Amino acid sequence: MSGQEVVFALLGVVAVGSGIMVVTTRQLVHAALWLVVTFGALAGGYLVLTAEFVAWVQVLIYVGAIVVLLLFGIMLTRAPIGGSADLDSGNRWVAAGVAAATAAVLVTVMAMGFWDERMPLRAGGGSADALGAAVFRTWVLPFEVLSVLLLASLVGAIVLSRSDIRPKSRPAEKRPAGTPADGER
Amino acid sequence: MHLAYPTVVAALLFSIGVYGVLARRNAILVLMSVELMLNAVNLNLVAFDMWFRDRLHGGQVLTLFTIVIAAAEIGLGLAIVLLVYRNRQMIDVDRLRTLAEDGARPAEAEALDEAAPADEPGEPGLPGEPGEAGAARREEATP
C-alpha cells in the first residue's frame, strides 16, 4: 500500500462509518452532524485524488450550505431535541436486506472489473485553473442551463414556502383533507 | 493508487444511502440519505476522471454540476417538507398515504376509524358490506 492508499482507506473508513451513524442514530440533530463528518471525510478523499477544487466546493456547498439547510429544516419541523424512538419505519429489516444486496452486487462488480487498475495521480489535474478553463471553454452551455435550473428551483422554493400566495380562483373552502362529509356518519 | 479503493467506498456509501431511504421514517432523514447516495456518485465521478486522465475534466465538471443540482434538490425538498409539516403537523413518510392507490386509506381516516370503530362501514370483504359501496364511500372521504 502506498501512502495515498493508506490515507484514502482511513478517510473511507471514516466516511462509511459516519454514514452508518447518519442512518442509524436516534437523534435527528446528531444525524445532521454525522453528515458533516461524512462530507468532510469525502472532501479529504477528493484531496487525495488530487481534485482540489471539487474538495473545496464540497466543503463550501455541502458542509456550509446543505447541512445548515437541513438543520434549519429540523428546527422548523419542531423535531424533538433528545432521542426519539420512532425514526425508523417498520420495514427496516427489509431495507437492511436490500442495502446488503446492493452493497454485495456493487462491490463485487467494482472489484471484479477494476481490481488491477491503477490510476496515475498527478498534482494539478484538479486545480481551479484547470477546472475553470474546462467549465468556461468546453462545458459552458451546460453551465448556463444549470444556472437557469438553479434560478427556477429558487423561485419554486420561495413560492412553495410562502403561505400568502394562493390561487385566486379557489375560494377558501376547506375542510381538512380526509374528513368525511357531514351527512355520512 | 488502486482504483478499487474509491469505487468500493462509493459502493458502500451508496448502499448506506439506500438503507436510509428505505428504512427511515422522518422525511428530513430520507433527504439526508439521498445526499449520501449523491456523494457516492460524486466520488465515482472524480475517481474515474482521474483514472481516464480526461483532458476535458468531464468527471470533475459533472461532479460540480451534481453538487449544484443537489443544492437545488435539497432546497425544493425542504420547502415541500415544510409545506407538508404546515398542513399535517408531521413529516413521517409512511403515514402520508393520501396519494396511495386504492386499498390504502389516508392516515386521518384511520385515526377517525380508531376513534369510532363501530359506525364506519368495514373494509370491502366484510360480511354485509358490498365492496364497491365501501370503495365509493372511501373515495368520498378523500376529497
Side-chain angles (χ1 to χ4, degrees):
Chain A
M1 277 176 102
S2 65
Q4 292 165 338
E5 288 173 353
V6 172
V7 175
F8 191 88
L10 289 175
L11 287 169
V13 167
V14 171
V16 170
S18 50
I20 290 176
M21 289 305 292
V22 169
V23 295
T24 54
T25 181
R26 292 193 177 282
Q27 304 195 22
L28 265 169
V29 182
H30 287 189
L33 297 180
W34 281 114
L35 206 61
V36 172
V37 180
T38 309
F39 291 159
L42 275 175
Y46 293 153
L47 277 182
V48 176
L49 290 174
T50 70
E52 314 154 14
F53 187 66
V54 176
W56 298 126
V57 169
Q58 165 99 357
V59 170
L60 283 179
I61 308 264
Y62 268 111
V63 181
I66 289 186
V67 173
V68 172
L69 215 57
L70 284 169
L71 282 172
F72 265 105
I74 289 173
M75 283 189 275
L76 286 176
T77 53
R78 300 212 178 85
I81 295 297
S84 46
D86 59 343
L87 286 181
D88 285 333
S89 68
N91 52 9
R92 58 177 300 190
W93 296 111
V94 183
V98 172
T102 311
V105 169
L106 284 179
V107 170
T108 311
V109 167
M110 289 304 185
M112 285 175 69
F114 303 107
W115 188 251
D116 292 331
E117 301 293 341
R118 300 187 146 270
M119 49 183 163
L121 290 183
R122 194 173 304 157
S127 62
D129 186 5
L131 243 68
V135 167
F136 289 106
R137 219 170 261 156
T138 316
W139 307 103
V140 65
L141 188 61
F143 179 80
E144 297 296 337
V145 171
L146 204 64
S147 59
V148 175
L149 178 125
L150 205 56
L151 177 69
S153 77
L154 186 69
V155 173
I158 291 174
V159 168
L160 277 180
S161 50
R162 271 185 66 177
S163 56
D164 53 343
I165 301 178
R166 285 272 175 266
K168 281 182 184 156
S169 59
R170 281 228 303 257
E173 53 88 25
K174 278 301 168 184
R175 347 170 247 187
T179 324
D182 285 342
E184 194 175 7
R185 66 172 60 202
Chain B
M1 182 172 174
H2 268 109
L3 186 57
Y5 287 92
T7 49
V8 167
V9 169
L12 290 177
L13 267 182
F14 186 85
S15 47
I16 290 171
V18 167
Y19 171 78
V21 167
L22 292 179
R24 287 302 210 176
R25 171 178 281 169
N26 192 300
I28 293 180
L29 286 172
V30 172
L31 282 178
M32 288 185 197
S33 309
V34 171
E35 293 304 310
L36 280 181
M37 289 201 278
L38 282 170
N39 266 281
V41 174
N42 286 347
L43 186 56
N44 260 338
L45 282 172
V46 171
F48 280 100
D49 182 284
M50 291 305 167
W51 183 51
F52 283 127
R53 276 200 282 160
D54 190 1
R55 292 187 57 202
L56 299 179
H57 298 291
Q60 293 182 61
V61 175
L62 192 55
T63 304
L64 295 179
F65 289 173
T66 316
I67 290 174
V68 173
I69 291 178
E73 171 248 336
I74 209 79
L76 271 182
L78 273 180
I80 293 173
V81 166
L82 289 182
L83 203 61
V84 167
Y85 180 78
R86 202 184 297 150
N87 285 329
R88 302 292 169 96
Q89 307 301 315
M90 56 98 188
I91 50 172
D92 293 346
V93 287
D94 52 352
R95 285 167 62 201
L96 298 170
R97 301 190 60 91
T98 312
L99 286 180
E101 307 248 333
D102 10 317
R105 316 183 54 196
E108 290 91 341
E110 282 175 8
L112 286 177
D113 278 2
E114 287 168 13
D119 51 358
E120 175 74 15
E123 292 293 323
L126 282 190
E129 179 69 25
E132 283 187 2
R137 291 172 83 113
R138 271 208 308 285
E139 282 180 7
E140 260 178 42
T142 51

